[in-house]
Amino acid sequence: MRIIKTNTYEEMSVLAANMIGGQVLLKPNCVLGLATGSSPIGTYKTLVENYEKGILDFSRVQTVNLDEYCGLSGDNPNSYRYFMNHHLFDHINIDKANTHVPNGNAVDLEAEAIRYEKFIESIGGVDLQLLGIGHNGHIGFNEPTTYFPKDVHTVNLTESTINANSRLFERREDVPTQAITMGIGTIMKANKILLIAGEDKTDIIEKSLYGKVTPEVPASVLQLHKDVTVIICKKK
């Protein structure tokens, strides 16, 4: 495991984008696992800039997102499909048909979870998975629990996660209470994992990387992965 500390959010974003860009250059038809939230916005901005400079070509890349809220359509500004289009996909030469986000608006969420898990396997798995981390240690929407969920599944969001995400919604009651997410097992199958986090996550990062491996701190499982890079910025 590599741990890199940066002085600024911008420096963290550039380093993360360079790592993702390196994966694209090494394997132009790679599968990128992508995340949402405030942490990766700068990373996506830098990837767009590198594409515009002619450094990166995304025409053969496929992407699979970690998660999606249940009950939101892809054109809802609070959905993660909308987030990805707005911050990345609309600004690079990727084929939108090769960008994949779980369908949180599916009639049968259990069937959608099974479909998404099988789909990731069918394209050969994830070459590089980008992660953020919640204050309670969640990765994707895998909340603290008594076991590590293996596959893609639906989850009831904790009050702390709902509160943290409510800043993005007009009203707290508008925040979905469920999400569909890659399981811990799905995430751990990625060949490489890149986790980025701000200074406000220092305590949970330390607990996750140096504490006991336990589903009560979902990110602690990353200690068992063969190739993890963690980039932490001091301030944003």
Side-chain angles (χ1 to χ4, degrees):
M1 181 180 292
R2 291 193 302 160
I3 301 173
I4 303 169
K5 295 183 179 180
T6 67
N7 291 318
T8 66
Y9 174 77
E10 289 73 21
E11 185 183 355
M12 179 186 76
S13 298
V14 169
L15 285 174
N18 287 347
M19 184 171 172
I20 295 169
Q23 177 64 67
V24 174
L25 291 171
L26 285 171
K27 186 179 179 183
N29 64 336
C30 66
V31 177
L32 298 176
L34 300 179
T36 54
S38 59
S39 294
I41 290 176
T43 299
Y44 295 148
K45 181 176 181 287
T46 304
L47 287 173
V48 170
E49 291 171 352
N50 288 341
Y51 161 71
E52 291 174 341
K53 293 174 183 176
I55 298 171
L56 296 176
D57 175 11
F58 293 90
S59 61
R60 296 171 60 195
V61 171
Q62 292 205 68
T63 68
V64 288
N65 260 72
L66 275 169
D67 44 31
E68 178 61 283
Y69 284 121
C70 293
L72 299 186
S73 61
D75 58 358
N76 186 305
N78 288 310
S79 73
Y80 289 158
R81 162 55 74 179
Y82 187 98
F83 176 100
M84 293 307 307
N85 288 344
H86 177 71
H87 289 289
L88 184 62
F89 301 151
D90 285 346
H91 310 290
I92 58 176
N93 66 330
I94 197 165
D95 184 346
K96 284 281 186 69
N98 287 336
T99 65
H100 309 281
V101 181
N103 180 10
N105 215 25
V107 174
D108 187 336
L109 291 172
E110 184 175 348
E112 170 60 13
I114 294 171
R115 181 202 69 80
Y116 200 64
E117 181 76 30
K118 289 182 177 179
F119 173 76
I120 295 170
E121 293 176 359
S122 75
I123 58 175
V126 174
D127 291 295
L128 187 154
Q129 177 66 59
L130 177 64
L131 296 176
I133 184 172
H135 285 285
N136 61 3
H138 74 246
I139 48 176
F141 270 125
N142 293 285
E143 302 281 13
T145 183
T146 57
Y147 66 98
F148 289 118
K150 180 182 177 183
D151 299 326
V152 178
H153 61 288
T154 57
V155 61
N156 294 321
L157 304 184
T158 63
E159 286 297 311
S160 64
T161 297
I162 292 172
N163 289 335
N165 292 349
S166 63
R167 71 189 189 282
L168 304 173
F169 291 77
E170 288 188 11
R171 303 177 305 169
R172 185 186 182 283
E173 52 265 37
D174 293 334
V175 184
T177 58
Q178 284 190 312
I180 184 168
T181 182
M182 288 187 193
I184 294 294
T186 317
I187 292 169
M188 292 291 284
K189 289 176 185 176
N191 292 329
K192 302 175 185 177
I193 292 176
L194 169 60
L195 188 150
I196 58 177
E199 183 183 31
D200 61 317
K201 305 291 179 60
T202 299
D203 289 345
I204 192 61
I205 285 285
E206 182 173 344
K207 193 173 182 180
S208 298
L209 302 186
Y210 302 109
K212 178 182 177 181
V213 176
T214 170
E216 295 177 1
V217 183
S220 67
V221 75
L222 298 178
Q223 296 179 44
L224 306 179
H225 195 278
K226 62 181 180 180
D227 191 344
V228 176
T229 299
V230 179
I231 308 178
I232 309 169
C233 73
K234 293 182 180 179
K235 58 184 177 180
K236 180 177 175 181

